[in-house]
Amino acid sequence: MPAIRNANDFNDISISGTQRYQTPPGFNKSQRDIARSILWLVFVAIFVGENVLAAFFSATAIVVLKEGTLFSHKNLKWMLLSVISFCASLFAWQMAKGSEAIDENRAYALKMLLWLMAKSIQMGWSVTLGFFLLLASASESQSQQY
């Protein structure tokens, strides 16, 4: 087994017989920009309560980021936001569906608890995601000024 001389040699390591390919310069940045645009759609969908649509957009962002270098710390950050968005939207959707399924006359407190959990997940994560997206947009525009 040849010794690894520098960090770029990691790209040539094969796992279980498959060859990894080198990504062209700027490819990961373009993938992150696409994922960031998709996460803006996730933000809007979660904010207005379209949890299934938000889960679909989150899954799309995950697939887009998976096409780039997986072990890039910048890609991992956006991948983590996409995965959390996917989980939060599915959880909020399940809580909302559970709330709709419960009879209001028999278990009003449980119905309201599930509804409140769904809304708090929606608002909490949408505000958090929006905060991350705004910070990324602000830092990107600042770096372009200089």
Side-chain angles (χ1 to χ4, degrees):
M1 179 174 199
I4 297 174
R5 290 179 290 276
N6 60 30
N8 290 334
D9 288 346
F10 281 111
N11 291 333
D12 298 331
I13 295 173
S14 64
I15 297 173
S16 69
T18 61
Q19 283 290 335
R20 289 190 172 183
Y21 61 91
Q22 290 258 350
T23 57
F27 181 76
N28 287 323
K29 171 129 177 51
S30 66
Q31 295 298 96
R32 282 192 302 272
D33 290 342
I34 292 169
R36 192 177 304 144
S37 300
I38 294 171
L39 283 174
W40 275 109
L41 295 173
V42 171
F43 165 72
V44 170
I46 276 186
F47 193 76
V48 299
E50 293 293 330
N51 296 316
V52 176
L53 194 59
F56 173 75
F57 286 143
S58 299
T60 305
I62 292 168
V63 169
V64 165
L65 285 169
K66 191 144 175 31
E67 293 298 316
T69 303
L70 189 60
F71 297 111
S72 161
H73 71 279
K74 292 177 184 177
N75 284 6
L76 284 175
K77 176 180 73 170
W78 290 105
M79 178 78 78
L80 182 64
L81 287 173
S82 301
V83 168
I84 292 172
S85 297
F86 182 75
C87 293
S89 56
L90 282 183
F91 186 71
W93 177 61
Q94 286 297 321
M95 293 299 109
K97 283 294 177 190
S99 174
E100 291 172 8
I102 293 175
D103 184 23
E104 194 171 307
N105 295 328
R106 291 185 179 177
Y108 183 76
L110 181 60
K111 181 180 182 78
M112 287 299 109
L113 177 67
L114 291 176
W115 181 83
L116 186 63
M117 285 175 64
K119 292 300 175 187
S120 63
I121 291 287
Q122 284 175 350
M123 289 299 115
W125 182 246
S126 66
V127 167
T128 305
L129 182 61
F131 180 70
F132 276 111
L133 291 169
L134 280 175
L135 283 178
S137 297
S139 69
E140 185 177 291
S141 65
Q142 249 184 357
S143 67
Q144 288 177 355
Q145 283 180 348
Y146 298 111

